[in-house]
Amino acid sequence: MSVALFTLGGTISMAGNQRLTGDDLTAAMPGLSGLGHPVEIQDIEKIPSANLTAAKVLEVVDAASKAVAAGAAGAVVTQGTDTLEETAFLADLVWPHPQPLVFTGAMRNPTLAGPDGPANLLAALRVACSPAARDLGALVVFKDEIHAARWVRKTHSTSTATFVSPNTGPIGHVVEDRVSVLTRPLRLDGVQGSAEPVELDNLRVALYTVTMDDDGLLLKGLADTHQGLVIAGYGVGHVPAALAPVLGELAARMPVVLTSRTGAGSIVRNTYNSPGSEIDLLQRGLIDGGFLDPYKARVLLRLLLATDDDIAGAFAQYV
């Protein structure tokens, strides 16, 4: 039984002006012979992760799904790290198989001292073909840690330990050749419909980070150009009082999801009751984003709009 490897661009594949193929990546990886499964490689278009689109990611996920349906033990996707937390979460929302879909990459390219790509890729391949990783959906494997896609975040611009899960920690580890899953998060329903790439390309969901003295002027006309909005509010879900009626008016015209800009923790629902507080905003029609960070909330909202799924019900899973 094989494990499928899909390669995009990113730091893991950069060697000066050369872009490495999947064969190059696996050839540079000590320990591959001990994997116990042949690696079937599909090199996808080399795209910096900053240029990845939701439509392109869904194409890769579809290819991985077909490989698993054809008998692969699991699948691995290598890509740049800039958007990896978003692409992994998007994949998790639509991945239907018990076999794992694992995302990984690198922070140091092969021309630098101590490149982390080979170790990350070997660990990801081990997780992808491990029975212990079944029924966990999409995963991110970095620095021998296994993270659930819906909780992981990139938290440092250069550190090889950039990927962490602030609310939960890693769900498992790779130690030598052993994959140990220490906790198994509940698999959620995901998104039930199917989104066509053209539908996603035509959908615009804005992400707006609230700042001090914010009066919402930058949101003027947004409902004429976008179909949804995610608010990254202060702390537990607060905004300046002057911004609250602006958000309420937008919520009457489009889905507006309330999240926290802090990077960890949830918004609350019933603690503060003043203009711009969470009680005020939820009463104005904003949707509770719960524990989802703003980036993942945007991924989910966009996919829900494309599939006509129940938006409030989908977000309620993350409260």
Side-chain angles (χ1 to χ4, degrees), residues 86-103:
E86 294 166 85
T87 59
F89 182 61
L90 174 58
D92 189 56
L93 291 171
V94 299
W95 186 248
H97 305 286
Q99 294 91 334
L101 175 59
V102 183
F103 288 77

Side-chain angles (χ1 to χ4, degrees), residues 4 6 42 59-72 95 97:
F6 300 86
Q42 293 188 42
E59 289 179 12
V60 176
V61 172
D62 182 62
S65 181
K66 290 176 179 175
V68 166
W95 186 248
H97 305 286

Side-chain angles (χ1 to χ4, degrees), residues 85 151-155 162-164 166 262-264 293 295-296:
E85 61 192 284
W151 301 129
V152 72
R153 295 197 66 177
K154 184 176 181 180
T155 62
T162 183
F163 285 100
V164 302
T262 59
D293 66 61
Y295 312 109
K296 294 188 180 68

